[in-house]
Amino acid sequence: MLYIKCPHCGWRSQNEFSYGGDATVKRPELGKEVSDKEWDDFVYNRKSLRGKHWELWQHLSGCRQWIKVERDTATHEIFKTLKASEEIS
Amino acid sequence: MNQSFRLENIGLINRNKKLSFKFNGKVYYGYEGDTLASALIANGVHLVGRSFKYHRPRGFFGAGVDEPYAIVQLYRNGETEPNIKATEQELFEGLEATSVNCWPSVNFDIGAINNFLRIFLPAGFYYKTFMWPKSFWFKVYEPFIRKAAGLGVASIKHDKERYEHKYEYCDLLITGSGPSGLASAYAAAKNGAKVILAEDKSRFGGTLLTSEVNIGNQSGKEWAESIISELKEMPNVIVKNRSQVFGYYDHNMLVMSERVSDHLPKTKKFHPKQRLWYIRAKEVLISSGSIERPIVFGNNDTPGVMLSSAAKEYLKVYGVLVGKNPLIFTNNDSGYETAIEFQKNGINPIILDTRKDPKSEIVDEAKNLGINIKFSYVVVAAKGYKKVKSADIAKISEDKEQLGIVENIKCDCICVSGFWTPTIHLASQSGNKTKFKEDIDAFVPGISKQNETTLGAANGTYTLEETLKKSFETGHKLSKEITKKDNKISFPNVIEKKSTAHDKFWCVPLPKGKNYKRFLDFQNDVAVSDIEIALKEGYRSIEHVKRYTTLGMATDQGKTSNLNGLQLVSKIENKVVPAIGHTTFRPPYTPVSIGAIVGREIGKHSKPTRKSPMHSWHEKNNAIFVDAGVWLRPRYYKQGNENLFEGSKREAKNVRTNVGVCDVTTLGKIDIKGPDAAELLNRVYTNSWLKLPVGKARYGVMLREDGIVMDDGTTTRISENHYHMTTTTAQAANVLSHLEYYLQLVWPELNVNVVSTTEQWAGAAIAGPKSRDLLSKLFPNSDVSNEGLPFMGFIEGDLFGVKARIFRISFSGELAYELNVESDHGIFMWEKIMEIGEAFKIQPYGIEALSTLRIEMGHVAGSELDGRTIPYDNSLEGLVSKKKDFIGKRSLSRKAFKAEDRQKIVGVIPLDKKTSIPEGSHLVKDFNAPLPNPKLGYISASCWSVEHDNPFSLAILKDGKNMIGEKLFVMSPLKNKVIPVKIVSSHYVDPKGERVRS
Ligand SMILES: [Zn+2]
């Protein structure tokens, strides 16, 4: 079970969180013309990365905040966690 | 039976407490502190089972967790448990056990015929023998194998024992209480660290209990006792015996199973049988020691052949002789320690040492005691079928290839020592890349991946002084980093006998003309010849060899067999062992009971049960409940002998004719506040929300980004910046997360707060033509006329002193209202409704009637909004705004979603107007068409229409728009039904929706 440092609450076990996918995906702006390709990339197309990956988790059974977690998908090592408002650097 | 193999003056058992037990129906006696194994050996019982494949007689091989043979079926307090290691099971009064894997009895075993037919059961025999003809598998092979083989029998009864889970955090977790575990735990604890020390056995001390050493002027055993009793007193230390750390998972999380009550005849009241500990440790010290390795020789599986360290443990801990005429077969000094113990207790052993001329303190001591030692000698084969009776021995040449003249000597046990294999399982599980250590012919942990350190014998360190030194240092160093304290323990004086190098010899060659089975894996009957066959047949990877031959795959996971298997492969392949590498170690290290893994989360405890505030009323009024997600909801209220069909029909009919009341507390409720609340709703729902006036509700549909309907419900504008959203019962949690996602990550600029208020409000729907009359009596001070409270209107009212929210919304399609009061007043509200409603013939209705009402109205619910449908499919396209953008809108322009013959919701009626249509059935054009018969759609929900008094179903049908009036067939192969049906509009009752507005 992973051990995740919630930027709001501190270290908590994985079973308090739910996974939310790739954190680098940006939703196209509302009302903007979007090509089929752009939209498909946003909705469906994901890289299944091996290695460092920025992903979203929600601290569901805690502060309910969505957070950004940089994790190695192969080793599960977690390098960094950020608040939703913080930009991935 | 008397305990004729028990010694008088040695052992740690409690001789004041004699215990009786039964093995295979026969009564024996032992003492408190015995294991089942030690007590059986004390009684001279060595035949405990039969092997898996050849059904050869099986005895005891070890004295603990490494035991491959002595697996029994245990009976305790009216329960039975399979696959218990007799070497681990502590004796208790009244224990009963039987052998497994032998039929009809352990002494006469029919399966043993396999032993004589073994030519048919070589490596890969499962794959080769039982492949063809295919039809034989289920009829012939499988039942035969199941009967003749297999380990114990699992109970089919409900397990009445209790199992617990516990979470713990610590600075240092130390796995094993031998010298390295004790020293590191002591150093760290004295330095203020929070320590958990786990010991698998009942007694602490590990090898200190059996070795002749001296620490700080005490015997090893005394030193261990003093350290343990001091640790137990310290508030920062948890000391646990009977506790096996079996798994090392991510982020330094380890799982340990504690056998709380297995050693007792019966679990004490309120105690668990076992407890599973989830331990998050900052640092892990692996002090799991090492396991003695066998030497491979002919018939080395005969009962009476066992590890030399086990023989010593039986003697020193249990006061039990594994034989009175022992033969010690060793390639290192450890065998001598066992021989010396025998000699000291009046038994004369013979030592066969594969080495030519070893020189060490221990060897000298054995010589001085006058023990008969034969150098450069090996055991060629054990003789005897159910117990060792003698051994064929021979001198071996210096190159270890040639055997001299074979002699036969009498003996009743053969104690084998082939040196030591570090127990590296936990380190390997943690991700540590192990490395091969040439001087001990074994793998040891390499570079740590997680915060783990391996100490002592588990790390290949076999001298006590070095082990203690390193362990004290490590315990101190790691605790200092955590506690920032610097209390050092002074290092005690250590006295131990010096030993010399072992011989790398591990497998005795076969004498000319002999074809003895030489076993590597004792539980799975994998012999040297099996590995040879596998390699001849082209298997190269050790992982493949393992699976093909089943080497190391039994319940003991190859604790005694893995390294010899590797040595053999390396010899045949002419490669060094590290180049072959070992197979992957995976948790659990030892078998863990399913009960312990599941814990308390069984039956009603497997998920929380949520009840509405009106639950007690429903109970008192004969509600038959049904699980709805985590909620318990009334399905119908039973009157007399009514069944579900009759009861729900009566309730639904009463709604259509009079008035009914339904508990709708379970609906998800989300409170939405903030100046941008309307904007959020406008983006989340498909229809427009910016112009909804205060005091009005609106029905909305929300999509996922892929255009699929996520949920529906009504949202009401309570005040300028305050909305009350309802969701379906099932999607309540997901919708909240969904809103939070967009507010926190996508549109953080929106000034809105959302919070779940599902449990804050009790909800009651009152529906039916007389509902307004009832409402006016409930709220005499409010104007609830069609003008005062029109359809989709909202007012607050006073329910006899209780503040209530009144929404004029309808799921049943009748004139209907939903009342919300604070949860604590729920029962008051309900009882008032029932009391005043009596004059209007009110009846409560459950969710079965609720379903009937919504189905015949064509209102969609979870069975249509099933994660596969878009608004059009549910005839909700009218709610999709063409002007504004919203979540998922762009996806609706996908080609498949705009197809001319896109699926759409329809109504379905059986032509005979009698036959009920099973939900989930398929719709086809021709039920006689060849398979696969093209499916046109599926039945999503079925009911008995109370309005029309015949069956009615909803279906999602391809080209549904153009199918109205068509005749199709419903097929349900599961129920073996074919029903001719007619397709009609999904709005079967009041298609214009006049009633809700009346
Ligand atoms: Zn948090």
Side-chain angles (χ1 to χ4, degrees):
Chain A
M1 198 180 346
L2 306 184
Y3 207 33
I4 302 170
K5 190 179 180 181
C6 171
H8 308 279
C9 311
W11 289 100
R12 299 300 176 95
S13 274
Q14 182 186 345
N15 51 359
E16 293 187 11
F17 295 83
S18 70
Y19 182 71
D22 190 335
T24 62
V25 176
K26 280 256 177 298
R27 191 193 191 281
E29 265 173 58
L30 277 177
K32 202 184 131 197
E33 263 315 284
V34 192
S35 71
D36 285 351
K37 165 97 178 52
E38 276 173 272
W39 189 253
D40 285 350
D41 282 346
F42 160 62
V43 178
Y44 299 105
N45 299 331
R46 297 286 181 275
K47 282 180 195 133
S48 183
L49 287 174
R50 182 187 167 89
K52 281 191 176 185
H53 183 227
W54 274 102
E55 52 201 26
L56 295 170
W57 290 75
Q58 189 183 14
H59 194 188
L60 207 65
S61 308
C63 61
R64 293 203 64 90
Q65 294 301 301
W66 285 88
I67 60 170
K68 297 169 185 172
V69 176
E70 190 186 32
R71 181 180 68 108
D72 189 309
T73 56
T75 65
H76 296 319
E77 189 179 346
I78 291 176
F79 307 97
K80 211 172 178 184
T81 56
L82 296 174
K83 294 177 183 173
S85 58
E86 291 172 315
E87 284 302 317
I88 294 165
S89 51
Chain B
M1 277 290 260
N2 59 349
Q3 301 181 44
S4 57
F5 287 81
R6 184 85 71 177
L7 292 170
E8 287 294 325
N9 303 316
I10 185 168
L12 309 176
I13 46 168
N14 177 13
R15 284 168 208 267
N16 296 322
K17 195 148 181 210
K18 202 170 171 182
L19 304 172
S20 74
F21 69 101
K22 264 190 199 167
F23 182 65
N24 285 337
K26 206 164 163 186
V27 178
Y28 299 93
Y29 294 94
Y31 293 115
E32 187 180 77
D34 261 325
T35 60
L36 175 57
S38 68
L40 283 170
I41 299 172
N43 285 283
V45 178
H46 278 265
L47 181 61
V48 284
R50 293 279 175 166
S51 70
F52 189 68
K53 203 159 87 186
Y54 303 131
H55 287 233
R56 285 165 69 110
R58 285 289 181 253
F60 300 96
F61 195 71
V65 68
D66 49 327
E67 177 61 38
Y69 295 155
I71 288 163
V72 299
Q73 183 87 23
L74 186 78
Y75 300 86
R76 173 180 172 274
N77 191 27
E79 300 275 341
T80 184
E81 211 176 327
N83 303 345
I84 300 294
K85 291 187 177 99
T87 53
E88 285 199 299
Q89 177 61 49
E90 293 173 59
L91 200 65
F92 53 77
E93 178 58 39
L95 180 151
E96 284 186 54
T98 56
S99 298
V100 296
N101 207 19
C102 35
W103 176 74
S105 82
V106 67
N107 267 302
F108 178 77
D109 179 55
I110 282 182
I113 201 160
N114 290 354
N115 192 20
F116 302 105
L117 300 175
R118 67 186 174 217
I119 187 86
F120 300 118
L121 302 174
F125 84 108
Y126 297 103
Y127 308 106
K128 289 171 186 161
T129 315
F130 300 127
M131 282 300 281
W132 308 102
K134 212 172 172 182
S135 63
F136 266 41
W137 177 250
F138 288 110
K139 287 177 196 150
V140 184
Y141 300 142
E142 211 250 355
F144 169 76
I145 295 173
R146 282 216 184 274
K147 186 161 186 194
L151 296 164
V153 183
S155 170
I156 54 164
K157 282 197 299 183
H158 172 72
D159 187 351
K160 60 182 188 228
E161 296 278 358
R162 193 156 87 172
Y163 300 84
E164 280 181 356
H165 284 183
K166 183 176 167 68
Y167 289 79
E168 196 53 82
Y169 296 80
C170 64
D171 296 330
L172 276 82
L173 169 64
I174 298 165
T175 68
S177 73
S180 54
L182 287 174
S184 53
Y186 192 65
K190 282 285 183 187
N191 206 21
K194 194 174 173 218
V195 173
I196 298 176
L197 176 61
E199 169 58 46
D200 159 42
K201 295 200 165 187
S202 64
R203 294 175 184 85
F204 295 98
T207 53
L208 291 172
L209 297 177
T210 53
S211 51
E212 291 294 308
V213 294
N214 197 292
I215 307 170
N217 296 325
Q218 301 174 89
S219 73
K221 180 178 155 279
E222 286 162 355
W223 181 79
E225 278 165 4
S226 67
I227 295 282
I228 279 292
S229 51
E230 204 175 324
L231 286 173
K232 279 182 176 167
E233 293 303 311
M234 296 174 76
N236 54 328
V237 182
I238 296 173
V239 174
K240 280 281 158 196
N241 61 341
R242 303 187 175 102
S243 297
Q244 178 83 61
V245 178
F246 65 77
Y248 199 136
Y249 300 91
D250 290 311
H251 297 183
N252 259 37
M253 162 127 141
L254 292 95
V255 185
M256 168 171 101
S257 85
E258 182 189 3
R259 303 183 304 275
V260 183
S261 308
D262 294 69
H263 62 294
L264 302 171
K266 197 178 153 185
T267 306
K268 284 185 205 148
K269 207 175 178 189
F270 306 126
H271 281 220
K273 182 165 187 272
Q274 293 174 357
R275 184 180 287 131
L276 210 66
W277 293 59
Y278 292 88
I279 302 171
R280 188 82 68 177
K282 287 189 185 133
E283 293 285 343
V284 176
L285 292 180
I286 298 167
S287 50
S288 44
S290 56
I291 291 173
E292 203 164 22
R293 214 180 297 164
I295 304 177
V296 179
F297 56 88
N299 299 330
N300 56 337
D301 63 331
T302 311
V305 177
M306 66 165 61
L307 293 173
S308 134
S309 56
K312 190 171 75 167
E313 187 170 335
Y314 284 118
L315 211 163
K316 294 205 76 173
V317 175
Y318 304 102
V320 168
L321 289 170
V322 299
K324 293 181 180 175
N325 195 5
L327 182 66
I328 316 288
F329 180 27
T330 188
N331 70 2
N332 70 97
D333 285 6
S334 300
Y336 287 75
E337 291 178 22
T338 305
I340 290 166
E341 291 302 332
F342 272 118
Q343 186 79 11
K344 280 190 192 163
N345 284 285
I347 301 290
N348 298 321
I350 301 172
I351 299 177
L352 303 190
D353 192 334
T354 65
R355 297 172 298 182
K356 195 179 167 197
D357 187 20
K359 289 199 171 25
S360 75
E361 279 182 63
I362 299 168
V363 175
D364 286 345
E365 190 185 350
K367 282 181 183 165
N368 292 340
L369 284 168
I371 294 174
N372 182 359
I373 310 170
K374 290 173 179 288
F375 293 105
S376 294
Y377 254 82
V378 295
V379 175
V380 175
K383 296 282 166 172
Y385 183 56
K386 290 176 191 166
K387 177 78 200 288
V388 170
K389 287 190 177 128
S390 67
D392 279 355
I393 65 169
K395 202 159 180 116
I396 191 157
S397 62
E398 215 155 315
D399 64 359
K400 303 286 200 278
E401 300 287 341
Q402 307 300 321
L403 293 175
I405 297 156
V406 175
E407 315 153 44
N408 184 268
I409 60 166
K410 292 272 168 250
C411 62
D412 62 355
C413 67
I414 303 173
C415 308
V416 191
S417 179
F419 208 55
W420 297 88
T421 307
T423 304
I424 56 168
H425 300 65
L426 285 177
S428 177
Q429 287 174 19
S430 81
N432 188 305
K433 288 270 171 270
T434 57
K435 60 183 185 208
F436 192 73
K437 203 165 174 232
E438 208 58 58
D439 60 332
I440 62 166
D441 312 317
F443 288 93
V444 292
I447 296 158
S448 300
K449 201 190 115 194
Q450 302 198 38
N451 297 343
E452 119 278 349
T453 313
T454 304
L455 295 168
N459 199 29
T461 308
Y462 295 129
T463 71
L464 182 63
E465 185 160 10
E466 202 187 330
T467 292
L468 288 179
K469 206 166 234 161
K470 186 81 209 287
S471 304
F472 272 117
E473 272 169 29
T474 309
H476 175 261
K477 193 183 119 227
L478 293 176
S479 59
K480 190 180 162 187
E481 281 162 18
I482 296 165
T483 66
K484 312 289 174 210
K485 291 182 186 163
D486 201 6
N487 301 324
K488 258 193 176 152
I489 309 296
S490 61
F491 188 72
N493 187 37
V494 176
I495 303 170
E496 64 184 312
K497 280 176 224 151
K498 299 276 175 295
S499 54
T500 183
H502 78 289
D503 183 1
K504 300 202 167 193
F505 179 79
W506 65 277
C507 183
V508 180
L510 285 174
K512 274 199 187 70
K514 295 289 182 188
N515 194 18
Y516 299 123
K517 275 271 171 194
R518 294 172 297 169
F519 285 97
L520 291 165
D521 184 310
F522 300 103
Q523 196 176 114
N524 268 355
D525 283 358
V526 180
V528 170
S529 50
D530 294 317
I531 305 286
E532 287 168 350
I533 291 172
L535 291 165
K536 252 183 228 162
E537 291 181 359
Y539 289 89
R540 287 295 173 271
S541 152
I542 189 67
E543 297 280 3
H544 293 159
V545 171
K546 167 180 165 173
R547 281 156 186 81
Y548 192 56
T549 62
T550 71
L551 173 77
M553 283 175 68
T555 61
D556 66 334
Q557 291 282 294
K559 290 185 178 67
T560 51
S561 64
N562 280 339
L563 261 165
N564 282 342
L566 287 178
Q567 307 234 46
L568 179 61
V569 175
S570 91
K571 193 178 153 197
I572 301 171
E573 289 285 285
N574 204 13
K575 274 187 201 159
V576 287
V577 173
I580 293 155
H582 59 74
T583 54
T584 315
F585 293 105
R586 291 191 180 87
Y589 172 65
T590 52
V592 183
S593 69
I594 298 288
I597 292 168
V598 174
R600 297 291 295 278
E601 290 161 16
I602 51 163
K604 273 281 155 207
H605 298 290
S606 62
K607 58 178 175 21
T609 301
R610 295 169 79 180
K611 297 171 181 172
S612 96
M614 287 84 91
H615 188 83
S616 61
W617 190 95
H618 305 321
E619 265 180 337
K620 270 181 258 165
N621 289 275
N622 296 329
I624 307 297
F625 290 95
V626 63
D627 289 323
V630 292
W631 293 89
L632 267 184
R633 298 189 71 178
R635 197 164 185 194
Y636 74 110
Y637 300 81
K638 192 179 174 116
Q639 290 188 0
N641 289 326
E642 263 177 355
N643 61 21
L644 170 68
F645 178 72
E646 293 157 351
S648 60
K649 210 165 130 181
R650 167 184 53 74
E651 290 171 3
K653 199 150 183 78
N654 192 56
V655 172
R656 293 264 183 255
T657 45
N658 298 306
V659 59
V661 57
C662 182
D663 187 344
V664 293
T665 302
T666 62
L667 281 183
K669 303 171 203 73
I670 297 170
D671 210 53
I672 302 175
K673 275 184 180 167
D676 296 321
E679 179 61 29
L680 173 71
L681 295 172
N682 209 43
R683 296 178 183 190
V684 165
Y685 283 127
T686 60
N687 49 350
S688 64
W689 285 78
L690 296 179
K691 288 180 184 146
L692 181 72
V694 172
K696 277 283 190 183
R698 186 164 283 173
Y699 175 72
V701 174
M702 57 178 82
L703 310 184
R704 313 189 306 215
E705 292 286 16
D706 62 1
I708 299 292
V709 178
M710 178 177 180
D711 199 44
D712 70 340
T714 57
T715 292
T716 307
R717 190 168 193 176
I718 305 289
S719 66
E720 180 65 22
N721 292 326
H722 183 193
Y723 292 79
H724 173 80
M725 173 185 275
T726 65
T727 72
T728 59
T729 302
Q731 290 293 332
N734 291 344
V735 171
L736 183 64
S737 267
H738 181 73
L739 299 180
E740 286 164 339
Y741 174 91
Y742 284 93
L743 285 173
Q744 293 172 26
L745 288 157
V746 186
W747 305 312
E749 69 279 6
L750 291 184
N751 189 356
V752 185
N753 269 313
V754 292
V755 67
S756 166
T757 54
T758 300
E759 276 147 89
Q760 277 65 30
W761 297 102
I766 51 176
K770 295 179 184 166
S771 57
R772 184 182 292 123
D773 300 339
L774 170 57
L775 199 72
S776 64
K777 293 271 190 305
L778 288 168
F779 298 93
N781 304 327
S782 303
D783 176 10
V784 297
S785 66
N786 205 16
E787 296 73 38
L789 181 55
F791 183 54
M792 298 309 266
F794 159 76
I795 54 168
E796 287 184 332
D798 174 49
L799 182 72
F800 306 99
V802 170
K803 214 172 116 182
R805 288 178 172 179
I806 312 166
F807 307 88
R808 186 171 165 191
I809 52 181
S810 177
F811 190 50
S812 57
E814 292 298 322
L815 171 67
Y817 303 86
E818 237 173 80
L819 306 187
N820 278 187
V821 295
E822 284 175 21
S823 290
D824 286 352
H825 300 300
I827 198 92
F828 172 82
M829 164 182 72
W830 189 270
E831 283 174 344
K832 272 287 169 215
I833 294 170
M834 289 305 298
E835 179 196 322
I836 295 169
E838 208 184 335
F840 305 99
K841 297 190 174 154
I842 195 166
Q843 283 183 22
Y845 62 102
I847 61 171
E848 195 69 19
L850 183 72
S851 281
T852 296
L853 296 167
R854 75 95 184 166
I855 292 168
E856 63 177 5
M857 271 297 163
H859 286 171
V860 292
S863 49
E864 290 78 33
L865 310 180
D866 63 352
R868 296 182 293 181
T869 53
I870 59 170
Y872 174 87
D873 306 347
N874 295 293
S875 286
L876 295 171
E877 65 274 22
L879 288 171
V880 176
S881 167
K882 291 203 169 66
K883 292 182 199 139
K884 58 143 196 174
D885 199 0
F886 53 85
I887 293 170
K889 183 179 191 180
R890 179 64 177 80
S891 290
L892 295 179
S893 58
R894 290 179 61 201
K895 213 171 138 195
F897 290 173
K898 307 198 77 153
E900 259 307 299
D901 60 353
R902 178 78 199 168
Q903 61 180 13
K904 199 173 185 57
I905 189 167
V906 293
V908 179
I909 305 164
L911 291 186
D912 68 0
K913 295 209 167 182
K914 275 188 203 124
T915 313
S916 289
I917 301 172
E919 290 177 347
S921 306
H922 288 185
L923 285 157
V924 298
K925 189 143 193 88
D926 172 9
F927 71 92
N928 272 325
L931 296 174
N933 193 343
K935 175 186 120 178
L936 301 177
Y938 57 94
I939 302 294
S940 60
S942 287
C943 72
W944 187 277
S945 165
V946 289
E947 183 95 0
H948 298 275
D949 202 25
N950 58 254
F952 176 74
S953 296
L954 294 175
I956 306 289
L957 181 61
K958 189 173 180 175
D959 197 20
K961 180 176 63 172
N962 297 315
M963 296 295 277
I964 308 295
E966 293 287 316
K967 285 182 183 158
L968 297 175
F969 294 93
V970 154
M971 285 186 78
S972 174
L974 275 178
K975 307 224 159 157
N976 201 18
K977 273 189 177 174
V978 175
I979 307 161
V981 295
K982 189 177 155 195
I983 304 303
V984 297
S985 158
S986 59
H987 299 294
Y988 197 38
V989 173
D990 189 24
K992 288 187 186 149
E994 285 164 347
R995 296 182 192 178
V996 294
R997 293 183 174 80
S998 65

